[in-house]
Amino acid sequence: MQEENIIAANENKFTAGNYSEALTAFTTGWVDPENTAALLDFIAPPIPVGRRFEFKRSDNAQAFYSESDDVRAIGSEFKRVRYDGESVNEKTINKGLTIRVDHDEVAGDDWQERYVQMLLQRLLRNELRRAVAALDTIASGGDSEPAVWNSSSNPDADIRKMLMSAADESGVRPNRILFGESAWDLRMTAYESQNSAVAFKAGAMVKNELASKFLLEGVEVMSARYQSSPSEKARVIGNEIYAFYARDGISKDEASNLKRFYTPMEEGSAFRVYCDEHAKYTDLTVEHYSSIVAASNLGVRKLKVQEGE
């Protein structure tokens, strides 16, 4: 089968005549089989905004001020407080990909939907890598010596120490942890090599059990790979663990270490699809507008781990 070409989309070549309402509607109801979208939302909660917008970077310390003079005297008003933060002007960036499909290579009535799905998965994978890169940039602890996990270590004690250190800095205990696949495997291996019931139980914990143990909202493990060269694939995250704060359904000014601002299309979808048909081939394009922003670097921690003897 002939290999299709995928290229970066050029905004200037699209016209209203190439817009596909049906394929755009397909993106609205599409469910990502690789769960990339859910993992992206876990790291950088999505927030709908216009193309240009303003938001405040978080000064988490203000949320933890405490007064002893909040008692109102008769005839007077309550003490007035305010939450400040640096106002930042941003805009969402147009991103997209185009695939050219030769008509001699298509089969089935749903071939357009299948190629649109391929582009959606690729665009989401790109966004996920950007989110991880942004998280890594603001995380503290990456320069420290890796923690050695072996048959005599206590991986969960290292993670609790990381969480408490983050809370001491920001005033907010991180509520989410992201494991690289290798780090998750090293934790299980360390406990499985210890001959005790406690270790066996710890090694067998699933993600929601571990989140409950650490007093977290959620724990996720990233096993995603990408093609780093024509002959090799690389893990998006390897032997690292990230602790951070994020919440679902937030506004543009509410607290979250990372935020993914996106601009909804007129149709209500996060994506728009163009279909440019020619005699012997069709160009399918998927575009979206988004920007991943570090709203606060307070309390973000990174723990590197390695296997020991």
Side-chain angles (χ1 to χ4, degrees), residues 31-53:
V31 178
D32 174 23
E34 297 181 354
N35 209 37
T36 306
L39 194 54
L40 174 61
D41 293 349
F42 179 82
I43 302 170
I47 302 170
V49 292
R51 282 297 318 278
R52 295 184 180 277
F53 61 96

Side-chain angles (χ1 to χ4, degrees), residues 8-44:
N10 183 347
E11 184 178 17
N12 295 327
K13 69 179 288 187
F14 306 133
T15 66
N18 294 331
Y19 166 69
S20 173
E21 183 177 355
L23 290 175
T24 299
F26 167 77
T27 69
T28 304
W30 173 71
V31 178
D32 174 23
E34 297 181 354
N35 209 37
T36 306
L39 194 54
L40 174 61
D41 293 349
F42 179 82
I43 302 170

Side-chain angles (χ1 to χ4, degrees), residues 56-223:
K56 289 186 180 295
R57 294 195 186 276
S58 301
D59 178 7
N60 288 350
Q62 288 189 328
F64 291 88
Y65 289 158
S66 177
E67 286 85 15
S68 58
D69 56 348
D70 58 350
V71 177
R72 187 182 71 87
I74 298 297
S76 64
E77 296 181 346
F78 288 114
K79 177 183 178 181
R80 190 179 301 273
V81 299
R82 57 181 296 176
Y83 291 95
D84 298 318
E86 177 192 2
S87 293
V88 180
N89 291 308
E90 275 281 356
K91 69 175 182 178
T92 55
I93 302 169
N94 192 208
K95 304 164 186 174
L97 292 171
T98 297
I99 186 169
R100 175 162 293 179
V101 184
D102 193 291
H103 293 167
D104 290 344
E105 302 296 328
V106 301
D109 296 332
D110 63 342
W111 64 271
Q112 291 185 342
E113 287 83 357
R114 286 188 282 111
Y115 282 110
V116 167
Q117 174 176 287
M118 289 170 55
L119 294 179
L120 286 169
Q121 289 175 317
R122 193 151 170 170
L123 287 169
L124 287 171
R125 195 176 300 120
N126 294 345
E127 289 287 87
L128 184 60
R129 289 181 59 198
R130 292 187 183 102
V132 170
L135 187 64
D136 187 76
T137 298
I138 63 175
S140 301
D143 297 331
S144 304
E145 287 295 319
V148 177
W149 287 355
N150 53 31
S151 59
S152 60
S153 60
N154 186 346
D156 289 359
D158 292 334
I159 295 173
R160 290 196 301 268
K161 181 179 178 181
M162 173 179 68
L163 291 169
M164 288 187 288
S165 173
D168 288 342
E169 178 193 16
S170 67
V172 179
R173 183 180 174 89
N175 66 339
R176 296 182 179 181
I177 280 184
L178 179 66
F179 279 82
E181 183 183 35
S182 298
W184 180 263
D185 182 71
L186 284 174
R187 177 189 172 275
M188 288 193 298
T189 300
Y191 283 123
E192 289 168 353
S193 61
Q194 299 174 25
N195 188 21
S196 75
V198 173
F200 289 156
K201 181 178 179 180
M205 282 183 170
V206 295
K207 293 183 295 184
N208 63 327
E209 291 175 321
L210 198 60
S212 179
K213 177 180 180 179
F214 289 139
L215 307 178
L216 301 173
E217 176 190 288
V219 168
E220 286 294 343
V221 181
M222 182 180 290
S223 58

Side-chain angles (χ1 to χ4, degrees), residues 206-257:
V206 295
K207 293 183 295 184
N208 63 327
E209 291 175 321
L210 198 60
S212 179
K213 177 180 180 179
F214 289 139
L215 307 178
L216 301 173
E217 176 190 288
V219 168
E220 286 294 343
V221 181
M222 182 180 290
S223 58
R225 271 87 165 164
Y226 65 95
Q227 200 74 30
S228 57
S229 71
S231 60
E232 293 184 355
K233 292 180 174 61
R235 294 184 177 96
V236 177
I237 303 178
N239 289 10
E240 294 87 26
I241 303 168
Y242 295 92
F244 57 97
Y245 186 85
R247 290 188 297 115
D248 297 329
I250 59 174
S251 71
K252 62 186 179 69
D253 292 323
E254 289 182 278
S256 181
N257 289 124

